[in-house]
Amino acid sequence: PIHKLKQVLDLNCRIGSWVIDLALSYPGIIVTGLDNRPHYVAMARRNAAVGNLSRARFYEADLIKPLQFADETFDLLRLSMSSVLFRPDEWPAFLQECKRIMKPGTSIHLLNVSAGPGSSEAFQRIVLLIDKRGFERIGFAADQLTPEGLVHDIRALERAPA
């Protein structure tokens, strides 16, 4: 149950939206966000500072390397967009590291984009481009897209060399 959570870690937190939302909604939880891109970490810190939110913490970290947390620190781990972060051979070490920093009996939530048969044509196109080029090659944050920007980005990506 969420009311029992004390320490939560969001791996690949991007601009910190989920971390901030959780910290605002549940005052008893300290939420930490990690991302490997300094500009996202800086943006997340600015976003938390706007609300004077000291329980939302953000750090730059390479998720392929050991994380700088003590054993059994977190009650919950969340990882979104993980399919673009790791090669298949990197998953075992990453999951072992997650297990190390998780308290016994807790869980990790893995969230990924999945294009299903009910998805819009624009969504199908963007997922295919992500599969082809990867997020870093594409160079935008999905949580910052607008419908107008999405159409523009899709057209630009379709013209760009793979």
Side-chain angles (χ1 to χ4, degrees):
I2 199 159
H3 67 277
K4 291 186 177 184
L5 298 177
K6 299 292 181 218
Q7 293 265 354
V8 174
L9 178 63
D10 186 11
L11 302 144
N12 196 36
C13 70
R14 307 182 73 78
I15 62 170
S17 302
W18 187 84
V19 169
I20 292 168
D21 285 347
L22 186 65
L24 285 170
S25 299
Y26 298 93
I29 300 175
I30 296 171
V31 192
T32 302
L34 300 181
D35 204 287
N36 66 343
R37 293 154 294 197
H39 61 283
Y40 279 163
V41 173
M43 198 178 307
R45 287 177 177 158
R46 282 193 302 272
N47 290 341
V50 167
N52 196 24
L53 195 57
S54 62
R55 291 176 299 95
R57 301 167 182 175
F58 299 96
Y59 304 99
E60 186 178 346
D62 183 348
L63 300 180
I64 304 301
K65 296 180 180 172
L67 301 173
Q68 301 300 307
F69 297 108
D71 294 357
E72 300 180 7
T73 298
F74 296 99
D75 302 301
L76 173 71
L77 270 61
R78 176 185 185 265
L79 174 62
S80 61
M81 306 306 288
S82 59
S83 61
V84 296
L85 292 176
F86 306 108
R87 295 185 320 260
D89 62 307
E90 293 171 331
W91 275 100
F94 170 74
L95 291 174
Q96 274 302 117
E97 183 62 6
C98 288
K99 183 178 177 184
R100 181 187 70 76
I101 63 173
M102 293 170 62
K103 291 179 183 173
T106 61
S107 62
I108 181 169
H109 294 197
L110 301 172
L111 309 158
N112 282 299
V113 172
S114 178
S119 298
S120 70
E121 180 183 342
F123 182 73
Q124 293 284 355
R125 289 168 66 191
I126 198 75
V127 168
L128 288 173
L129 290 168
I130 290 168
D131 284 347
K132 235 163 107 174
R133 295 182 173 89
F135 266 119
E136 292 307 313
R137 173 76 169 92
I138 289 172
F140 66 81
D143 53 356
Q144 297 172 324
L145 289 178
T146 63
E148 300 80 24
L150 181 60
V151 171
H152 174 269
D153 288 337
I154 290 173
R155 290 186 182 135
L157 288 167
E158 288 176 330
R159 289 190 301 273

PDB file of all heavy atoms in Angstrom, residues 26-62:
ATOM      1  N   TYR A  26       1.798  12.757  -1.666  1.00  0.00           N
ATOM      2  CA  TYR A  26       2.019  11.967  -0.452  1.00  0.00           C
ATOM      3  C   TYR A  26       3.148  12.597   0.369  1.00  0.00           C
ATOM      4  O   TYR A  26       4.319  12.269   0.192  1.00  0.00           O
ATOM      5  CB  TYR A  26       2.332  10.514  -0.811  1.00  0.00           C
ATOM      6  CG  TYR A  26       1.195   9.852  -1.527  1.00  0.00           C
ATOM      7  CD1 TYR A  26       1.137   9.842  -2.911  1.00  0.00           C
ATOM      8  CD2 TYR A  26       0.151   9.277  -0.807  1.00  0.00           C
ATOM      9  CE1 TYR A  26       0.058   9.259  -3.577  1.00  0.00           C
ATOM     10  CE2 TYR A  26      -0.925   8.694  -1.462  1.00  0.00           C
ATOM     11  CZ  TYR A  26      -0.960   8.695  -2.844  1.00  0.00           C
ATOM     12  OH  TYR A  26      -2.029   8.126  -3.483  1.00  0.00           O
ATOM     13  N   PRO A  27       2.802  13.493   1.282  1.00  0.00           N
ATOM     14  CA  PRO A  27       3.811  14.238   2.049  1.00  0.00           C
ATOM     15  C   PRO A  27       4.772  13.386   2.871  1.00  0.00           C
ATOM     16  O   PRO A  27       5.846  13.849   3.209  1.00  0.00           O
ATOM     17  CB  PRO A  27       2.974  15.128   2.973  1.00  0.00           C
ATOM     18  CG  PRO A  27       1.643  15.224   2.314  1.00  0.00           C
ATOM     19  CD  PRO A  27       1.440  13.927   1.582  1.00  0.00           C
ATOM     20  N   GLY A  28       4.449  12.147   3.167  1.00  0.00           N
ATOM     21  CA  GLY A  28       5.332  11.310   3.967  1.00  0.00           C
ATOM     22  C   GLY A  28       6.389  10.578   3.167  1.00  0.00           C
ATOM     23  O   GLY A  28       7.207   9.858   3.728  1.00  0.00           O
ATOM     24  N   ILE A  29       6.409  10.745   1.850  1.00  0.00           N
ATOM     25  CA  ILE A  29       7.331   9.992   0.995  1.00  0.00           C
ATOM     26  C   ILE A  29       8.452  10.899   0.488  1.00  0.00           C
ATOM     27  O   ILE A  29       8.205  12.002   0.017  1.00  0.00           O
ATOM     28  CB  ILE A  29       6.589   9.383  -0.213  1.00  0.00           C
ATOM     29  CG1 ILE A  29       5.480   8.433   0.249  1.00  0.00           C
ATOM     30  CG2 ILE A  29       7.564   8.646  -1.134  1.00  0.00           C
ATOM     31  CD1 ILE A  29       4.632   7.881  -0.889  1.00  0.00           C
ATOM     32  N   ILE A  30       9.681  10.395   0.570  1.00  0.00           N
ATOM     33  CA  ILE A  30      10.828  11.048  -0.064  1.00  0.00           C
ATOM     34  C   ILE A  30      11.027  10.344  -1.402  1.00  0.00           C
ATOM     35  O   ILE A  30      11.167   9.121  -1.454  1.00  0.00           O
ATOM     36  CB  ILE A  30      12.090  10.944   0.803  1.00  0.00           C
ATOM     37  CG1 ILE A  30      11.874  11.711   2.112  1.00  0.00           C
ATOM     38  CG2 ILE A  30      13.311  11.467   0.050  1.00  0.00           C
ATOM     39  CD1 ILE A  30      12.966  11.508   3.128  1.00  0.00           C
ATOM     40  N   VAL A  31      11.041  11.120  -2.475  1.00  0.00           N
ATOM     41  CA  VAL A  31      11.126  10.555  -3.821  1.00  0.00           C
ATOM     42  C   VAL A  31      12.408  11.056  -4.479  1.00  0.00           C
ATOM     43  O   VAL A  31      12.673  12.255  -4.527  1.00  0.00           O
ATOM     44  CB  VAL A  31       9.903  10.944  -4.676  1.00  0.00           C
ATOM     45  CG1 VAL A  31       9.873  10.124  -5.955  1.00  0.00           C
ATOM     46  CG2 VAL A  31       8.609  10.766  -3.897  1.00  0.00           C
ATOM     47  N   THR A  32      13.188  10.125  -4.983  1.00  0.00           N
ATOM     48  CA  THR A  32      14.453  10.429  -5.639  1.00  0.00           C
ATOM     49  C   THR A  32      14.339  10.081  -7.108  1.00  0.00           C
ATOM     50  O   THR A  32      13.840   9.020  -7.470  1.00  0.00           O
ATOM     51  CB  THR A  32      15.601   9.613  -5.001  1.00  0.00           C
ATOM     52  OG1 THR A  32      15.652   9.911  -3.600  1.00  0.00           O
ATOM     53  CG2 THR A  32      16.939   9.935  -5.647  1.00  0.00           C
ATOM     54  N   GLY A  33      14.814  10.978  -7.954  1.00  0.00           N
ATOM     55  CA  GLY A  33      14.833  10.735  -9.397  1.00  0.00           C
ATOM     56  C   GLY A  33      16.254  10.706  -9.916  1.00  0.00           C
ATOM     57  O   GLY A  33      17.079  11.542  -9.537  1.00  0.00           O
ATOM     58  N   LEU A  34      16.538   9.738 -10.776  1.00  0.00           N
ATOM     59  CA  LEU A  34      17.844   9.638 -11.431  1.00  0.00           C
ATOM     60  C   LEU A  34      17.666   9.748 -12.938  1.00  0.00           C
ATOM     61  O   LEU A  34      16.705   9.226 -13.502  1.00  0.00           O
ATOM     62  CB  LEU A  34      18.501   8.286 -11.140  1.00  0.00           C
ATOM     63  CG  LEU A  34      18.790   7.909  -9.699  1.00  0.00           C
ATOM     64  CD1 LEU A  34      19.466   6.545  -9.641  1.00  0.00           C
ATOM     65  CD2 LEU A  34      19.645   8.965  -9.022  1.00  0.00           C
ATOM     66  N   ASP A  35      18.603  10.401 -13.572  1.00  0.00           N
ATOM     67  CA  ASP A  35      18.641  10.431 -15.034  1.00  0.00           C
ATOM     68  C   ASP A  35      20.089  10.601 -15.445  1.00  0.00           C
ATOM     69  O   ASP A  35      20.883  11.186 -14.700  1.00  0.00           O
ATOM     70  CB  ASP A  35      17.786  11.577 -15.591  1.00  0.00           C
ATOM     71  CG  ASP A  35      17.338  11.291 -17.016  1.00  0.00           C
ATOM     72  OD1 ASP A  35      18.182  11.370 -17.933  1.00  0.00           O
ATOM     73  OD2 ASP A  35      16.160  10.954 -17.198  1.00  0.00           O
ATOM     74  N   ASN A  36      20.433  10.104 -16.618  1.00  0.00           N
ATOM     75  CA  ASN A  36      21.820  10.181 -17.065  1.00  0.00           C
ATOM     76  C   ASN A  36      22.092  11.436 -17.891  1.00  0.00           C
ATOM     77  O   ASN A  36      23.212  11.650 -18.325  1.00  0.00           O
ATOM     78  CB  ASN A  36      22.222   8.924 -17.838  1.00  0.00           C
ATOM     79  CG  ASN A  36      21.473   8.777 -19.146  1.00  0.00           C
ATOM     80  OD1 ASN A  36      20.448   9.417 -19.367  1.00  0.00           O
ATOM     81  ND2 ASN A  36      21.970   7.926 -20.017  1.00  0.00           N
ATOM     82  N   ARG A  37      21.084  12.283 -18.083  1.00  0.00           N
ATOM     83  CA  ARG A  37      21.256  13.502 -18.876  1.00  0.00           C
ATOM     84  C   ARG A  37      21.232  14.719 -17.948  1.00  0.00           C
ATOM     85  O   ARG A  37      20.208  15.001 -17.318  1.00  0.00           O
ATOM     86  CB  ARG A  37      20.154  13.596 -19.925  1.00  0.00           C
ATOM     87  CG  ARG A  37      20.323  12.457 -20.962  1.00  0.00           C
ATOM     88  CD  ARG A  37      19.059  12.085 -21.606  1.00  0.00           C
ATOM     89  NE  ARG A  37      18.161  11.490 -20.611  1.00  0.00           N
ATOM     90  CZ  ARG A  37      17.105  10.765 -20.913  1.00  0.00           C
ATOM     91  NH1 ARG A  37      16.804  10.572 -22.172  1.00  0.00           N
ATOM     92  NH2 ARG A  37      16.339  10.262 -19.980  1.00  0.00           N
ATOM     93  N   PRO A  38      22.350  15.450 -17.866  1.00  0.00           N
ATOM     94  CA  PRO A  38      22.450  16.586 -16.945  1.00  0.00           C
ATOM     95  C   PRO A  38      21.368  17.647 -17.162  1.00  0.00           C
ATOM     96  O   PRO A  38      20.871  18.233 -16.201  1.00  0.00           O
ATOM     97  CB  PRO A  38      23.836  17.170 -17.204  1.00  0.00           C
ATOM     98  CG  PRO A  38      24.567  16.174 -18.019  1.00  0.00           C
ATOM     99  CD  PRO A  38      23.579  15.238 -18.621  1.00  0.00           C
ATOM    100  N   HIS A  39      20.990  17.892 -18.418  1.00  0.00           N
ATOM    101  CA  HIS A  39      19.979  18.926 -18.668  1.00  0.00           C
ATOM    102  C   HIS A  39      18.610  18.519 -18.121  1.00  0.00           C
ATOM    103  O   HIS A  39      17.847  19.365 -17.666  1.00  0.00           O
ATOM    104  CB  HIS A  39      19.911  19.289 -20.153  1.00  0.00           C
ATOM    105  CG  HIS A  39      19.537  18.167 -21.054  1.00  0.00           C
ATOM    106  ND1 HIS A  39      20.419  17.168 -21.413  1.00  0.00           N
ATOM    107  CD2 HIS A  39      18.374  17.877 -21.658  1.00  0.00           C
ATOM    108  CE1 HIS A  39      19.816  16.311 -22.206  1.00  0.00           C
ATOM    109  NE2 HIS A  39      18.567  16.709 -22.368  1.00  0.00           N
ATOM    110  N   TYR A  40      18.295  17.229 -18.122  1.00  0.00           N
ATOM    111  CA  TYR A  40      17.035  16.776 -17.517  1.00  0.00           C
ATOM    112  C   TYR A  40      17.085  16.909 -15.994  1.00  0.00           C
ATOM    113  O   TYR A  40      16.109  17.310 -15.364  1.00  0.00           O
ATOM    114  CB  TYR A  40      16.731  15.327 -17.886  1.00  0.00           C
ATOM    115  CG  TYR A  40      16.104  15.134 -19.237  1.00  0.00           C
ATOM    116  CD1 TYR A  40      16.095  13.882 -19.829  1.00  0.00           C
ATOM    117  CD2 TYR A  40      15.505  16.170 -19.920  1.00  0.00           C
ATOM    118  CE1 TYR A  40      15.511  13.679 -21.075  1.00  0.00           C
ATOM    119  CE2 TYR A  40      14.921  15.979 -21.163  1.00  0.00           C
ATOM    120  CZ  TYR A  40      14.924  14.734 -21.738  1.00  0.00           C
ATOM    121  OH  TYR A  40      14.340  14.545 -22.949  1.00  0.00           O
ATOM    122  N   VAL A  41      18.217  16.556 -15.406  1.00  0.00           N
ATOM    123  CA  VAL A  41      18.357  16.667 -13.954  1.00  0.00           C
ATOM    124  C   VAL A  41      18.231  18.136 -13.537  1.00  0.00           C
ATOM    125  O   VAL A  41      17.531  18.455 -12.564  1.00  0.00           O
ATOM    126  CB  VAL A  41      19.688  16.054 -13.476  1.00  0.00           C
ATOM    127  CG1 VAL A  41      19.922  16.322 -11.995  1.00  0.00           C
ATOM    128  CG2 VAL A  41      19.703  14.548 -13.758  1.00  0.00           C
ATOM    129  N   ALA A  42      18.868  19.030 -14.262  1.00  0.00           N
ATOM    130  CA  ALA A  42      18.769  20.459 -13.950  1.00  0.00           C
ATOM    131  C   ALA A  42      17.324  20.948 -14.071  1.00  0.00           C
ATOM    132  O   ALA A  42      16.839  21.703 -13.218  1.00  0.00           O
ATOM    133  CB  ALA A  42      19.685  21.264 -14.874  1.00  0.00           C
ATOM    134  N   MET A  43      16.636  20.521 -15.111  1.00  0.00           N
ATOM    135  CA  MET A  43      15.244  20.916 -15.297  1.00  0.00           C
ATOM    136  C   MET A  43      14.369  20.358 -14.176  1.00  0.00           C
ATOM    137  O   MET A  43      13.493  21.052 -13.651  1.00  0.00           O
ATOM    138  CB  MET A  43      14.741  20.426 -16.662  1.00  0.00           C
ATOM    139  CG  MET A  43      13.481  21.126 -17.127  1.00  0.00           C
ATOM    140  SD  MET A  43      12.929  20.591 -18.781  1.00  0.00           S
ATOM    141  CE  MET A  43      14.386  20.808 -19.760  1.00  0.00           C
ATOM    142  N   ALA A  44      14.597  19.108 -13.794  1.00  0.00           N
ATOM    143  CA  ALA A  44      13.829  18.496 -12.709  1.00  0.00           C
ATOM    144  C   ALA A  44      14.046  19.258 -11.396  1.00  0.00           C
ATOM    145  O   ALA A  44      13.091  19.510 -10.650  1.00  0.00           O
ATOM    146  CB  ALA A  44      14.228  17.029 -12.552  1.00  0.00           C
ATOM    147  N   ARG A  45      15.284  19.632 -11.123  1.00  0.00           N
ATOM    148  CA  ARG A  45      15.573  20.390  -9.909  1.00  0.00           C
ATOM    149  C   ARG A  45      14.865  21.750  -9.920  1.00  0.00           C
ATOM    150  O   ARG A  45      14.336  22.192  -8.896  1.00  0.00           O
ATOM    151  CB  ARG A  45      17.083  20.579  -9.744  1.00  0.00           C
ATOM    152  CG  ARG A  45      17.791  19.306  -9.333  1.00  0.00           C
ATOM    153  CD  ARG A  45      19.281  19.493  -9.251  1.00  0.00           C
ATOM    154  NE  ARG A  45      19.932  18.283  -8.781  1.00  0.00           N
ATOM    155  CZ  ARG A  45      21.208  18.003  -9.007  1.00  0.00           C
ATOM    156  NH1 ARG A  45      21.976  18.852  -9.666  1.00  0.00           N
ATOM    157  NH2 ARG A  45      21.721  16.873  -8.565  1.00  0.00           N
ATOM    158  N   ARG A  46      14.862  22.405 -11.078  1.00  0.00           N
ATOM    159  CA  ARG A  46      14.148  23.685 -11.184  1.00  0.00           C
ATOM    160  C   ARG A  46      12.657  23.488 -10.965  1.00  0.00           C
ATOM    161  O   ARG A  46      12.009  24.279 -10.279  1.00  0.00           O
ATOM    162  CB  ARG A  46      14.410  24.334 -12.544  1.00  0.00           C
ATOM    163  CG  ARG A  46      15.768  25.004 -12.645  1.00  0.00           C
ATOM    164  CD  ARG A  46      15.882  25.901 -13.856  1.00  0.00           C
ATOM    165  NE  ARG A  46      15.646  25.215 -15.116  1.00  0.00           N
ATOM    166  CZ  ARG A  46      16.586  24.599 -15.819  1.00  0.00           C
ATOM    167  NH1 ARG A  46      17.826  24.563 -15.393  1.00  0.00           N
ATOM    168  NH2 ARG A  46      16.291  24.015 -16.962  1.00  0.00           N
ATOM    169  N   ASN A  47      12.110  22.426 -11.548  1.00  0.00           N
ATOM    170  CA  ASN A  47      10.683  22.151 -11.381  1.00  0.00           C
ATOM    171  C   ASN A  47      10.326  21.918  -9.916  1.00  0.00           C
ATOM    172  O   ASN A  47       9.308  22.398  -9.430  1.00  0.00           O
ATOM    173  CB  ASN A  47      10.267  20.933 -12.217  1.00  0.00           C
ATOM    174  CG  ASN A  47      10.298  21.223 -13.699  1.00  0.00           C
ATOM    175  OD1 ASN A  47      10.278  22.366 -14.122  1.00  0.00           O
ATOM    176  ND2 ASN A  47      10.372  20.162 -14.487  1.00  0.00           N
ATOM    177  N   ALA A  48      11.169  21.194  -9.189  1.00  0.00           N
ATOM    178  CA  ALA A  48      10.916  20.947  -7.763  1.00  0.00           C
ATOM    179  C   ALA A  48      11.088  22.225  -6.948  1.00  0.00           C
ATOM    180  O   ALA A  48      10.348  22.457  -5.992  1.00  0.00           O
ATOM    181  CB  ALA A  48      11.846  19.852  -7.242  1.00  0.00           C
ATOM    182  N   ALA A  49      12.033  23.070  -7.334  1.00  0.00           N
ATOM    183  CA  ALA A  49      12.278  24.314  -6.602  1.00  0.00           C
ATOM    184  C   ALA A  49      11.090  25.272  -6.707  1.00  0.00           C
ATOM    185  O   ALA A  49      10.809  26.014  -5.759  1.00  0.00           O
ATOM    186  CB  ALA A  49      13.545  24.987  -7.114  1.00  0.00           C
ATOM    187  N   VAL A  50      10.391  25.250  -7.828  1.00  0.00           N
ATOM    188  CA  VAL A  50       9.223  26.116  -8.005  1.00  0.00           C
ATOM    189  C   VAL A  50       8.209  25.864  -6.890  1.00  0.00           C
ATOM    190  O   VAL A  50       7.620  26.789  -6.350  1.00  0.00           O
ATOM    191  CB  VAL A  50       8.579  25.899  -9.399  1.00  0.00           C
ATOM    192  CG1 VAL A  50       7.209  26.536  -9.481  1.00  0.00           C
ATOM    193  CG2 VAL A  50       9.494  26.432 -10.485  1.00  0.00           C
ATOM    194  N   GLY A  51       8.018  24.609  -6.530  1.00  0.00           N
ATOM    195  CA  GLY A  51       7.082  24.262  -5.468  1.00  0.00           C
ATOM    196  C   GLY A  51       7.732  24.148  -4.103  1.00  0.00           C
ATOM    197  O   GLY A  51       7.104  23.679  -3.160  1.00  0.00           O
ATOM    198  N   ASN A  52       9.015  24.575  -3.986  1.00  0.00           N
ATOM    199  CA  ASN A  52       9.751  24.471  -2.724  1.00  0.00           C
ATOM    200  C   ASN A  52       9.629  23.058  -2.148  1.00  0.00           C
ATOM    201  O   ASN A  52       9.311  22.873  -0.983  1.00  0.00           O
ATOM    202  CB  ASN A  52       9.252  25.523  -1.727  1.00  0.00           C
ATOM    203  CG  ASN A  52      10.226  25.719  -0.578  1.00  0.00           C
ATOM    204  OD1 ASN A  52      11.418  25.435  -0.712  1.00  0.00           O
ATOM    205  ND2 ASN A  52       9.718  26.184   0.547  1.00  0.00           N
ATOM    206  N   LEU A  53       9.873  22.082  -2.987  1.00  0.00           N
ATOM    207  CA  LEU A  53       9.642  20.688  -2.645  1.00  0.00           C
ATOM    208  C   LEU A  53      10.964  19.996  -2.307  1.00  0.00           C
ATOM    209  O   LEU A  53      11.673  19.513  -3.184  1.00  0.00           O
ATOM    210  CB  LEU A  53       8.945  20.001  -3.821  1.00  0.00           C
ATOM    211  CG  LEU A  53       8.300  18.666  -3.586  1.00  0.00           C
ATOM    212  CD1 LEU A  53       7.262  18.734  -2.473  1.00  0.00           C
ATOM    213  CD2 LEU A  53       7.628  18.189  -4.861  1.00  0.00           C
ATOM    214  N   SER A  54      11.302  19.929  -1.031  1.00  0.00           N
ATOM    215  CA  SER A  54      12.576  19.340  -0.607  1.00  0.00           C
ATOM    216  C   SER A  54      12.533  17.812  -0.601  1.00  0.00           C
ATOM    217  O   SER A  54      13.570  17.170  -0.545  1.00  0.00           O
ATOM    218  CB  SER A  54      12.963  19.853   0.776  1.00  0.00           C
ATOM    219  OG  SER A  54      11.983  19.465   1.723  1.00  0.00           O
ATOM    220  N   ARG A  55      11.352  17.198  -0.652  1.00  0.00           N
ATOM    221  CA  ARG A  55      11.248  15.736  -0.645  1.00  0.00           C
ATOM    222  C   ARG A  55      11.383  15.134  -2.037  1.00  0.00           C
ATOM    223  O   ARG A  55      11.296  13.936  -2.203  1.00  0.00           O
ATOM    224  CB  ARG A  55       9.938  15.296   0.005  1.00  0.00           C
ATOM    225  CG  ARG A  55       9.890  15.560   1.499  1.00  0.00           C
ATOM    226  CD  ARG A  55       8.547  15.219   2.122  1.00  0.00           C
ATOM    227  NE  ARG A  55       7.458  16.010   1.552  1.00  0.00           N
ATOM    228  CZ  ARG A  55       6.654  15.630   0.549  1.00  0.00           C
ATOM    229  NH1 ARG A  55       6.767  14.452   0.020  1.00  0.00           N
ATOM    230  NH2 ARG A  55       5.705  16.418   0.095  1.00  0.00           N
ATOM    231  N   ALA A  56      11.572  15.964  -3.043  1.00  0.00           N
ATOM    232  CA  ALA A  56      11.846  15.500  -4.408  1.00  0.00           C
ATOM    233  C   ALA A  56      13.313  15.816  -4.697  1.00  0.00           C
ATOM    234  O   ALA A  56      13.710  16.975  -4.750  1.00  0.00           O
ATOM    235  CB  ALA A  56      10.929  16.196  -5.411  1.00  0.00           C
ATOM    236  N   ARG A  57      14.096  14.759  -4.864  1.00  0.00           N
ATOM    237  CA  ARG A  57      15.549  14.911  -5.039  1.00  0.00           C
ATOM    238  C   ARG A  57      15.950  14.343  -6.393  1.00  0.00           C
ATOM    239  O   ARG A  57      15.436  13.304  -6.789  1.00  0.00           O
ATOM    240  CB  ARG A  57      16.274  14.192  -3.917  1.00  0.00           C
ATOM    241  CG  ARG A  57      15.874  14.730  -2.558  1.00  0.00           C
ATOM    242  CD  ARG A  57      16.311  13.856  -1.445  1.00  0.00           C
ATOM    243  NE  ARG A  57      15.851  14.421  -0.171  1.00  0.00           N
ATOM    244  CZ  ARG A  57      15.997  13.841   0.974  1.00  0.00           C
ATOM    245  NH1 ARG A  57      16.589  12.665   1.056  1.00  0.00           N
ATOM    246  NH2 ARG A  57      15.550  14.412   2.068  1.00  0.00           N
ATOM    247  N   PHE A  58      16.898  15.009  -7.030  1.00  0.00           N
ATOM    248  CA  PHE A  58      17.298  14.592  -8.375  1.00  0.00           C
ATOM    249  C   PHE A  58      18.817  14.532  -8.487  1.00  0.00           C
ATOM    250  O   PHE A  58      19.520  15.427  -8.021  1.00  0.00           O
ATOM    251  CB  PHE A  58      16.742  15.574  -9.410  1.00  0.00           C
ATOM    252  CG  PHE A  58      15.241  15.625  -9.398  1.00  0.00           C
ATOM    253  CD1 PHE A  58      14.572  16.596  -8.680  1.00  0.00           C
ATOM    254  CD2 PHE A  58      14.506  14.682 -10.082  1.00  0.00           C
ATOM    255  CE1 PHE A  58      13.187  16.639  -8.641  1.00  0.00           C
ATOM    256  CE2 PHE A  58      13.126  14.698 -10.051  1.00  0.00           C
ATOM    257  CZ  PHE A  58      12.461  15.684  -9.336  1.00  0.00           C
ATOM    258  N   TYR A  59      19.284  13.449  -9.133  1.00  0.00           N
ATOM    259  CA  TYR A  59      20.715  13.229  -9.298  1.00  0.00           C
ATOM    260  C   TYR A  59      20.998  12.680 -10.685  1.00  0.00           C
ATOM    261  O   TYR A  59      20.199  11.935 -11.249  1.00  0.00           O
ATOM    262  CB  TYR A  59      21.239  12.229  -8.256  1.00  0.00           C
ATOM    263  CG  TYR A  59      20.959  12.634  -6.835  1.00  0.00           C
ATOM    264  CD1 TYR A  59      19.888  12.091  -6.137  1.00  0.00           C
ATOM    265  CD2 TYR A  59      21.754  13.583  -6.199  1.00  0.00           C
ATOM    266  CE1 TYR A  59      19.613  12.468  -4.834  1.00  0.00           C
ATOM    267  CE2 TYR A  59      21.489  13.968  -4.890  1.00  0.00           C
ATOM    268  CZ  TYR A  59      20.414  13.409  -4.222  1.00  0.00           C
ATOM    269  OH  TYR A  59      20.138  13.780  -2.934  1.00  0.00           O
ATOM    270  N   GLU A  60      22.171  13.034 -11.183  1.00  0.00           N
ATOM    271  CA  GLU A  60      22.651  12.458 -12.433  1.00  0.00           C
ATOM    272  C   GLU A  60      23.299  11.114 -12.107  1.00  0.00           C
ATOM    273  O   GLU A  60      24.064  11.004 -11.147  1.00  0.00           O
ATOM    274  CB  GLU A  60      23.661  13.397 -13.076  1.00  0.00           C
ATOM    275  CG  GLU A  60      24.106  12.947 -14.436  1.00  0.00           C
ATOM    276  CD  GLU A  60      25.084  13.919 -15.069  1.00  0.00           C
ATOM    277  OE1 GLU A  60      25.217  15.071 -14.589  1.00  0.00           O
ATOM    278  OE2 GLU A  60      25.735  13.514 -16.040  1.00  0.00           O
ATOM    279  N   ALA A  61      22.977  10.089 -12.896  1.00  0.00           N
ATOM    280  CA  ALA A  61      23.557   8.766 -12.654  1.00  0.00           C
ATOM    281  C   ALA A  61      23.545   7.953 -13.934  1.00  0.00           C
ATOM    282  O   ALA A  61      22.610   8.046 -14.731  1.00  0.00           O
ATOM    283  CB  ALA A  61      22.778   8.033 -11.571  1.00  0.00           C
ATOM    284  N   ASP A  62      24.572   7.165 -14.117  1.00  0.00           N
ATOM    285  CA  ASP A  62      24.644   6.200 -15.212  1.00  0.00           C
ATOM    286  C   ASP A  62      24.058   4.894 -14.684  1.00  0.00           C
ATOM    287  O   ASP A  62      24.641   4.261 -13.799  1.00  0.00           O
ATOM    288  CB  ASP A  62      26.100   6.013 -15.632  1.00  0.00           C
ATOM    289  CG  ASP A  62      26.257   5.077 -16.818  1.00  0.00           C
ATOM    290  OD1 ASP A  62      25.277   4.387 -17.196  1.00  0.00           O
ATOM    291  OD2 ASP A  62      27.368   5.048 -17.371  1.00  0.00           O
TER     292      ASP A  62
END
